[in-house]
């Protein structure tokens, strides 16, 4: 299983950026996918997550500014980030709770991070 994240980069404060994450490989079913971020010297924190049923969850610091969405047919999620702030800077990681077979258990997979830098 691979989780490939795209879309990081450098943006000015109050700007926007869109991240994508696609899951591929031997996947039977996906329960949820999400984004976490880690700033230098800080712990990794939840940004947003979405279930295949469309239920969404957001970290308090991004509510009202970020929107997560998903395309179940493509095993892909998107994170639209608006009104970005310098404190949104960090490495953004994609993850997924999924099953690799009908009889298998749900396991958590992580992708590589993509760097988002917001300049003031």
């Amino acid at each position: 299983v691979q989780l490939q994240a795209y879309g990081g980069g450098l943006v000015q404060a109050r700007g926007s950026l869109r991240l994508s994450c696609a899951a591929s490989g031997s996947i039977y079913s996906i329960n949820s996918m999400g984004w976490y971020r880690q700033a230098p010297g800080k712990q990794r924190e939840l940004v947003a997550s979405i279930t295949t049923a469309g239920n969404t969850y957001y970290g308090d610091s991004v509510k009202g500014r970020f929107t997560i969405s998903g395309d179940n047919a493509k095993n892909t999620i998107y994170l639209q980030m608006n009104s970005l702030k310098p404190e949104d800077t960090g490495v953004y990681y994609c993850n997924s709770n999924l099953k690799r077979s009908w009889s298998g258990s749900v396991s958590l997979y992580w992708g590589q991070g993509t760097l988002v830098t917001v300049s003031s």
Side-chain angles (χ1 to χ4, degrees):
V1 173
Q2 287 190 324
L3 297 176
Q4 186 68 49
Y6 304 92
L10 174 64
V11 63
Q12 290 188 329
R14 295 178 296 280
S16 297
L17 209 56
R18 189 188 194 216
L19 305 182
S20 302
C21 175
S24 63
S26 180
I27 299 171
Y28 174 76
S29 65
I30 293 177
N31 287 9
S32 67
M33 295 182 71
W35 293 97
Y36 280 70
R37 70 185 179 191
Q38 188 165 20
K42 294 188 176 181
Q43 289 188 330
R44 194 173 294 190
E45 63 174 356
L46 171 69
V47 176
S49 66
I50 185 168
T51 69
T52 50
N55 298 311
T56 57
Y57 305 89
Y58 294 93
D60 289 340
S61 62
V62 307
K63 286 179 181 177
R65 300 187 298 122
F66 292 9
T67 301
I68 190 170
S69 59
D71 184 335
N72 292 340
K74 296 181 179 179
N75 290 340
T76 299
I77 59 170
Y78 308 94
L79 185 68
Q80 179 65 42
M81 305 186 292
N82 297 329
S83 303
L84 282 161
K85 305 175 181 180
E87 51 263 43
D88 293 317
T89 294
V91 178
Y92 284 66
Y93 297 92
C94 172
N95 74 3
S96 178
N97 286 289
L98 58 86
K99 294 177 65 173
R100 298 190 64 184
S101 67
W102 176 81
S103 58
S105 59
V106 176
S107 299
L108 179 64
Y109 291 84
W110 290 90
Q112 92 291 355
T114 185
L115 178 62
V116 172
T117 304
V118 184
S119 63
S120 58

